[in-house]
Amino acid sequence: IKTKLLEEAAKITKRDVVNAKGETAEKYFREGKEVKHRVTSYVEKVIGKTFSIKRTPEEQALDEIKAKYGNKVHADINNIIKRKEDSSIPKIVLTDDVVYNKLQKYLNDFVVQLPKDTVLLSEITIYDAKRDLAGTVDVVAIHPDGTVDIFDWKTRQFSKAEKEEYQGLVSYKRDLYLAQISEYRKILKSSYNVEKFDKTRLIPIGVEYAKDG
């Protein structure tokens, strides 16, 4: 399973593409050819919802700041996991040392709950050739017996209501998130011959932003 995942992921790249309206969107390319569908847009069409909601220009600007920070958190998590698998990989901190150390402690506790000798693949891109569909899974955990776990981190500043509603996942996105991780499972089963799954979980990571002024 690990070999097939890594071999296929090596064939896929991501890059920004500007459309006819001048809008920039991230696209997948497999061996130089654009992939028709990405999992996030695919599930939006399937269940008739969108990850985006109408926002004012000010809210959009703030969302962009939060998204960039969320990407840094994901990158730090990715670095921590890859260093667990390969100690020669250098430590790269994109948030700050305090946040990185907190993430490292959390992931240390997270890993010890998995079976011994479980292999972790972080930020792994998967592909379904029949549907020309690609997506990136935050973590695929492969147990020694071939059982697979799927974990997807969601960074967000949660309101009190959201924290109480569903593990910190806001309702209008919850169905999309669950459909997204379900799609990852389908791809792993149909394209990578994964037969046994244990955990398929969304893991919210709360982020607090300081108010300027």
Side-chain angles (χ1 to χ4, degrees):
I1 297 172
K2 175 184 176 182
T3 300
K4 188 169 184 177
L5 280 165
L6 292 175
E7 287 178 349
E8 186 58 51
K11 300 175 184 178
I12 302 174
T13 59
K14 289 189 286 185
R15 65 175 183 261
D16 290 337
V17 175
V18 180
N19 62 22
K21 297 180 180 180
E23 301 168 334
T24 301
E26 188 179 65
K27 300 284 187 179
Y28 287 100
F29 290 81
R30 185 175 184 273
E31 298 181 322
K33 182 181 178 181
E34 183 177 333
V35 175
K36 187 175 181 180
H37 304 292
R38 58 183 298 148
V39 169
T40 49
S41 56
Y42 181 83
V43 298
E44 286 180 336
K45 292 178 182 179
V46 169
I47 69 175
K49 289 185 177 182
T50 177
F51 282 95
S52 302
I53 58 174
K54 291 183 178 180
R55 307 284 278 171
T56 66
E58 292 79 11
E59 288 172 331
Q60 289 176 1
L62 183 57
D63 287 346
E64 185 174 344
I65 292 171
K66 291 179 178 180
K68 287 180 178 178
Y69 188 78
N71 289 339
K72 290 181 179 180
V73 172
H74 272 74
D76 281 358
I77 291 173
N78 185 39
N79 180 249
I80 292 166
I81 291 175
K82 287 187 180 302
R83 290 178 69 234
K84 286 182 178 297
E85 297 296 313
D86 182 355
S87 60
S88 68
I89 293 175
K91 177 180 177 180
I92 301 174
V93 180
L94 295 186
T95 53
D96 58 51
D97 287 336
V98 172
V99 172
Y100 189 97
N101 289 338
K102 285 182 178 180
L103 290 171
Q104 191 163 42
K105 182 181 183 305
Y106 167 75
L107 289 167
N108 287 340
D109 294 339
F110 171 82
V111 168
V112 297
Q113 298 178 48
L114 300 172
K116 185 181 178 182
D117 297 325
T118 292
V119 174
L120 300 180
L121 299 180
S122 179
E123 295 291 329
I124 189 79
T125 301
I126 57 177
Y127 178 71
D128 180 342
K130 290 183 179 179
R131 294 181 290 172
D132 197 18
L133 172 68
T136 301
V137 187
D138 289 341
V139 176
V140 172
I142 306 169
H143 299 192
D145 68 353
T147 300
V148 165
D149 296 327
I150 304 170
F151 300 105
D152 207 39
W153 320 113
K154 298 299 178 187
T155 56
R156 181 176 168 82
Q157 184 174 22
F158 303 114
S159 68
K160 181 179 179 181
E162 289 169 356
K163 289 176 182 177
E164 294 172 350
E165 188 171 355
Y166 181 79
Q167 296 180 349
L169 297 178
V170 63
S171 59
Y172 81 86
K173 287 189 176 182
R174 183 183 63 206
D175 292 344
L176 287 163
Y177 288 150
L178 294 175
Q180 180 182 352
I181 204 166
S182 176
E183 199 60 50
Y184 293 152
R185 177 174 172 149
K186 288 179 185 177
I187 295 172
L188 288 170
K189 184 173 183 178
S190 63
S191 300
Y192 297 85
N193 302 317
V194 175
E195 295 296 334
K196 295 188 293 182
F197 293 89
D198 185 9
K199 304 176 184 67
T200 52
R201 292 183 180 173
L202 301 165
I203 302 179
I205 298 177
V207 179
E208 295 294 331
Y209 297 94
K211 293 183 179 180
D212 187 8

